[in-house]
Amino acid sequence: MIKKMFAIMMGLIYVTVLSSAPIRHKMEVKGITTQVTFYSPDIVRIVKYPTDVQKNERKSLVVTMEPQDNLDIRVKESGSKATVSSTALTVTIDKRTGLVQFLSKGKNLLKEKSYGFEPRTSGPDKGSFRTTIVYQLDKDEPIYGLGAIQDGKMNRRNSTHRMMEQSNLQDYQYVIQSLKGWGLFWDNYSRADFIDNADGMTFSAEVGDEIDYYFMLGNAGDELNAQMRTLSGKVPMFPLWTFGYWQCRERYKTPEELLEVVHWHRANGVPLDGIVQDWQYWGNNYLWNAMDFLGEPYHRGKEMVDEVHRQNAHLMISIWASFGPQTHAFKQLEEKGLLYDFETWPQSGLSHIWPPRRDYPSGVRVYDALSPEAREIYWKSLQKLVDYNIDAWWMDSTDPDFFDARDHHYDHSAGDGTWRRYRNAFPLASVSGIHDNLRNHSSDKRVFIMTRSAFAGQQRYGAGLWSGDVGSSWDMLRKQIPLGLNYTMTGCPNFNTDIGGFFCGSYNTKGSGSAPRNLQFQELYVRWMQYALFCPVFRSHGADAPREIYQFGKKGEPTFDAIEKTIRLRYRLLPYLYSTAWQVTDKDESYLRALVYDFPKDKRVWNMNDEFLFGRSILATPIVAPQYTEEKVVREDAMSGWDKKEAKESSIQAVDFTQSKTTTKYLPKGANWYDFWTEKYYRGGQDVTIETTFDQGPMFVRAGSIIPMAPVMQYAEEKKWDNLDIIVYPGADATFTLYEDEGDNYNYEKGEYTTITFTWNEAKKQLTIGECQGQFKGMLSQRKFNVRIAGQKDVKTMEYNGKEMSKVL
């Protein structure tokens, strides 16, 4: 039903439309049609296309939202412009140029400056265009997002990014948000260029039938992340156990090697929840990604899985976006023309020789994940591992690896178009098939996917990005922080890195695999772990040397003890972290919060790339430069290997990791802070110099916070949360909502979970524990909360039975 109300005032025509169907306002200017469609009062889609070209309607791979019904839209035509307004946002179209402007409450937010269409005149993409659009930003307006980019920067202003290929180390999401209060998503999947300079902010795409983007209104951070997730899908809960500690290496070559690690952790009381079986459990490279235990050492692979489960641990297994020529899937896909023709990893069929022997080509090829039929073949091939009760999926090379690229490779069909058209959406398509089929298969086990590449919208598929095969260097550690923060600001919250970096060969100064005994690597590894403590997934992995804790020494030695202390702290923080996970799912919040989320008025934090909030309360200020050894620039990448001479020159023979050091950190203005370790109180808006130790990464807690902490446990579900420590950080009123559910199924989607809200009244010095809301199978009916005020030793126990109670502290 459509209702129109007309009013004539001062010669202007106003049309207010209340509609149950989407209203698309169109205007043609100089042969270009501009179409405006409101999806909500805060989200509007802009489409531009040459009027004389037949428009192809393609379903978005990213956008799942439909325009809302009964939107209150006002259309006004006057003079040189047309205006289309919701209750929150105004869009104007210049009748002379077709340029669009976005305003809210009369304030300019963003303007188009120019746009262009360059026809593609040959090849399978003939009839489409190279599209370009330029926007005019304020001179000092910070912008964030765009993807996982290894440049060490937070603010994307005055930068150029050739977003030509999703790759091992960099991934692009085509999402930007501004501190001024707007966000953009460019709905295009081809290779693209992003340029911001004095001429404007430009987005140019290699293939498009149109310029198609979504403008979102909201504050930078939570609000714009929420808009992007409203547009492209919400974040499901990961299982509780995934927030524990993960151990991995490249690679465990036998089940015995893998099980040795699990058994060691259980025997020595160092917590562990996840273990990873990396590649080649399937056998040789001609059987690449056969997704079955075909390798000779793995003929009893199912027994390995069962033993991991008997140890109350979980197994993640490596699967790839490509297949060797002797696999069943390869033959089915080749028969249907669903394999790409470019070269990928591995290039040689001889897996034990480096560099690759190209005279023995592997024949491995990437499958067309953009094809629903190909995704179904992939799923059927995965079925054996699903039946083995694998817990999680390590989707490697979802970029995918693409060697010796030539222009003709992009002509290959992909889905309903070409590889050129859909190139950078491949990661999204590859995880979608696994997620959707796993959800249909069973609701008893939550989907957990870790993938090397990502695209916008990937958050809805139970997938987390890791930052690829990064080198083991301080420079690379520093780059992970802004990379994870900017990736989160595309709406995708699940991010992690290989603790210690992937390639550590330059530290093998005492022989193959000796890096964990190298003092420089020990310091780097410990500080990297102290940063990773705050990532949604806490995972050690790498090549060139094993990374298990016992490789670094033994209990009582500084490096071993520092690693163990960090792992134990992760488990103590599980109630805080899992409750934050619920806020991510239910309230569209984030684990990794750039400081502009909460302190947008503090200009010191606009470009801050080495501090962030972990959830709403903990300020992560990791140490990202050596204090005990020295920093050397080392050559680390997948192809160059490492230089023994360079490594020996950079080795250090002795340091004392038991000495304390100092570091200076900035405390954001707009809150006051407590040192997490000493509980000393500090005013915000200042640099503070604090004493640090090797085994403690510096971190602070916002005044006006409540932090629940669990007892130390060996795995995430070993102990119920019936005896939690509750630490109140006074200085302002505070609330915290403790979330609990069954841990690893989708019953929470049916409302089967509980929340308990803790409230601190600063004036009364009173803590109130609210009535327990909700229920689930196995929930606690009685428990203790051991309450303490930060800076004080006195602990008061509150016996809780689910009813509201208060205590003055």
Side-chain angles (χ1 to χ4, degrees), residues 724-767:
L724 298 184
D725 294 338
I726 305 296
I727 304 175
V728 177
Y729 295 83
D733 291 342
T735 62
F736 181 85
T737 299
L738 181 70
Y739 172 85
E740 294 171 282
D741 62 21
E742 292 174 67
D744 192 7
N745 58 42
Y746 286 97
N747 288 340
Y748 75 88
E749 294 182 343
K750 304 173 187 176
E752 296 181 23
Y753 61 87
T754 61
T755 57
I756 301 172
T757 298
F758 296 74
T759 304
W760 170 254
N761 185 305
E762 178 69 15
K764 296 181 179 179
K765 306 299 180 186
Q766 176 178 283
L767 179 69

Side-chain angles (χ1 to χ4, degrees), residues 40 50 103 111 131 139 208 223 237 255 271 277 293 303 326 367 408 446 464 478 499 584 610 612 648 675 677 808:
S40 74
L103 306 97
K111 294 180 180 179
T131 63
K139 181 180 178 182
E223 287 189 11
M237 288 285 289
Q277 177 59 62
F293 294 116
E303 294 181 19
Q326 293 181 0
Y367 88 111
H408 69 83
R446 295 179 194 167
R478 288 189 287 268
I499 293 174
V584 171
D610 60 355
F612 57 95
K648 287 179 180 178
D675 185 307
W677 299 105
V808 174

Side-chain angles (χ1 to χ4, degrees), residues 603-762:
K603 291 187 176 182
R604 276 283 301 269
V605 308
W606 286 7
N607 297 301
M608 187 158 286
N609 62 1
D610 60 355
E611 298 183 11
F612 57 95
L613 281 172
F614 173 51
R616 283 192 169 270
S617 299
I618 295 177
L619 178 64
T621 58
I623 291 174
V624 292
Q627 294 179 305
Y628 298 88
T629 60
E630 60 184 0
E631 180 169 353
K632 290 286 187 181
V633 177
V634 294
R635 185 178 62 183
E636 293 288 2
D637 61 64
M639 299 304 160
S640 66
W642 58 282
D643 188 314
K644 291 184 179 179
K645 182 178 181 219
E646 182 179 37
K648 287 179 180 178
E649 288 174 351
S650 64
S651 64
I652 290 178
Q653 300 304 313
V655 297
D656 184 0
F657 285 137
T658 64
Q659 288 184 344
S660 62
K661 302 287 184 177
T662 60
T663 190
T664 299
K665 297 296 181 181
Y666 178 70
L667 302 180
K669 184 179 182 180
N672 297 320
W673 304 91
Y674 289 84
D675 185 307
F676 177 84
W677 299 105
T678 66
E679 296 184 348
K680 181 179 178 180
Y681 180 80
Y682 293 93
R683 294 284 183 184
Q686 63 170 326
D687 292 304
V688 295
T689 299
I690 59 172
E691 185 177 276
T692 64
T693 59
F694 185 59
D695 64 345
Q696 294 181 175
M699 49 195 286
F700 297 83
V701 181
R702 189 201 305 239
S705 294
I706 300 168
I707 304 292
M709 299 189 75
V712 173
M713 56 189 80
Q714 296 309 298
Y715 52 93
E717 296 178 298
E718 182 190 22
K719 299 176 183 177
K720 291 188 177 292
W721 296 350
D722 57 355
N723 193 26
L724 298 184
D725 294 338
I726 305 296
I727 304 175
V728 177
Y729 295 83
D733 291 342
T735 62
F736 181 85
T737 299
L738 181 70
Y739 172 85
E740 294 171 282
D741 62 21
E742 292 174 67
D744 192 7
N745 58 42
Y746 286 97
N747 288 340
Y748 75 88
E749 294 182 343
K750 304 173 187 176
E752 296 181 23
Y753 61 87
T754 61
T755 57
I756 301 172
T757 298
F758 296 74
T759 304
W760 170 254
N761 185 305
E762 178 69 15

Side-chain angles (χ1 to χ4, degrees), residues 175-460:
V175 179
I176 280 287
Q177 54 174 278
S178 166
L179 196 57
K180 194 175 176 181
W182 57 263
L184 290 179
F185 164 57
W186 293 286
D187 201 1
N188 185 285
Y189 321 118
S190 69
R191 300 184 299 176
D193 287 297
F194 173 88
I195 303 170
D196 181 79
N197 56 28
D199 295 326
M201 182 183 74
T202 302
F203 180 83
S204 299
E206 191 171 76
V207 184
D209 299 321
E210 59 204 9
I211 293 170
D212 187 353
Y213 68 92
Y214 293 79
F215 180 94
M216 298 167 282
L217 176 68
N219 292 327
D222 287 327
E223 287 189 11
L224 286 170
N225 284 339
Q227 298 285 35
M228 189 61 200
R229 295 176 199 166
T230 298
L231 193 64
S232 61
K234 299 294 186 176
V235 181
M237 288 285 289
F238 282 163
L240 173 60
W241 63 266
T242 64
F243 296 99
Y245 177 63
W246 289 82
Q247 186 62 62
C248 183
R249 76 167 76 149
E250 193 284 299
R251 58 188 167 84
Y252 298 117
K253 296 180 180 180
T254 67
E256 290 73 25
E257 281 188 357
L258 183 146
L259 291 172
E260 178 186 2
V261 177
V262 178
H263 291 150
W264 185 94
H265 275 264
R266 292 294 177 254
N268 290 273
V270 178
L272 176 76
D273 266 279
I275 191 81
V276 182
Q277 177 59 62
D278 209 341
W279 55 300
Q280 282 198 329
Y281 58 89
W282 50 70
N284 64 56
N285 286 356
Y286 300 110
L287 287 167
W288 188 264
N289 197 37
M291 296 195 285
D292 197 0
F293 294 116
L294 303 179
E296 186 173 340
Y298 289 91
H299 66 283
R300 299 169 69 181
K302 176 62 167 64
E303 294 181 19
M304 174 187 74
V305 179
D306 293 342
E307 176 59 16
V308 169
H309 291 160
R310 278 191 290 270
Q311 296 297 319
N312 295 299
H314 296 80
L315 182 71
M316 179 159 64
I317 201 162
S318 173
I319 57 176
W320 288 59
S322 53
F323 292 97
Q326 293 181 0
T327 61
H328 297 311
F330 184 100
K331 296 167 186 176
Q332 295 175 60
L333 292 161
E334 184 179 43
E335 182 179 306
K336 295 178 179 294
L338 296 173
L339 293 170
Y340 295 130
D341 61 355
F342 54 77
E343 193 171 6
T344 190
W345 178 266
Q347 294 165 289
S348 174
L350 306 177
S351 58
H352 60 286
I353 296 176
W354 184 262
R357 284 283 299 272
R358 304 290 288 277
D359 53 334
Y360 288 90
S362 70
V364 174
R365 292 169 68 185
V366 174
Y367 88 111
D368 181 7
L370 292 145
S371 161
E373 185 178 15
R375 293 197 298 270
E376 193 60 27
I377 292 172
Y378 193 102
W379 165 248
K380 289 179 180 177
S381 299
L382 185 66
Q383 197 64 53
K384 280 194 175 181
L385 291 179
V386 174
D387 292 343
Y388 292 153
N389 202 21
I390 300 296
D391 302 295
W393 309 96
W394 178 303
M395 296 187 66
D396 211 336
S397 190
T398 49
D399 347 309
D401 285 312
F402 183 9
F403 302 140
D404 302 323
R406 299 290 185 269
D407 193 61
H408 69 83
H409 290 133
Y410 295 93
D411 292 340
H412 198 286
S413 62
D416 64 358
T418 63
W419 182 239
R420 181 179 293 105
R421 178 181 291 274
Y422 288 117
R423 170 65 185 96
N424 282 344
F426 183 90
L428 179 69
S430 66
V431 300
S432 69
I434 304 303
H435 170 270
D436 291 349
N437 278 297
L438 286 169
R439 281 302 313 256
N440 292 334
H441 177 76
S442 173
S443 61
D444 294 335
K445 181 177 288 191
R446 295 179 194 167
V447 177
F448 180 75
I449 296 170
M450 199 169 69
T451 177
R452 197 174 77 183
S453 291
F455 194 67
Q458 201 148 307
Q459 75 282 347
R460 68 177 180 259

Side-chain angles (χ1 to χ4, degrees), residues 789-807:
I789 300 292
Q792 300 180 16
K793 294 182 179 180
D794 185 39
V795 177
K796 296 183 178 180
T797 297
M798 298 178 71
E799 302 278 354
Y800 180 74
N801 63 4
K803 302 298 183 182
E804 180 176 314
M805 61 185 304
S806 299
K807 184 179 284 290

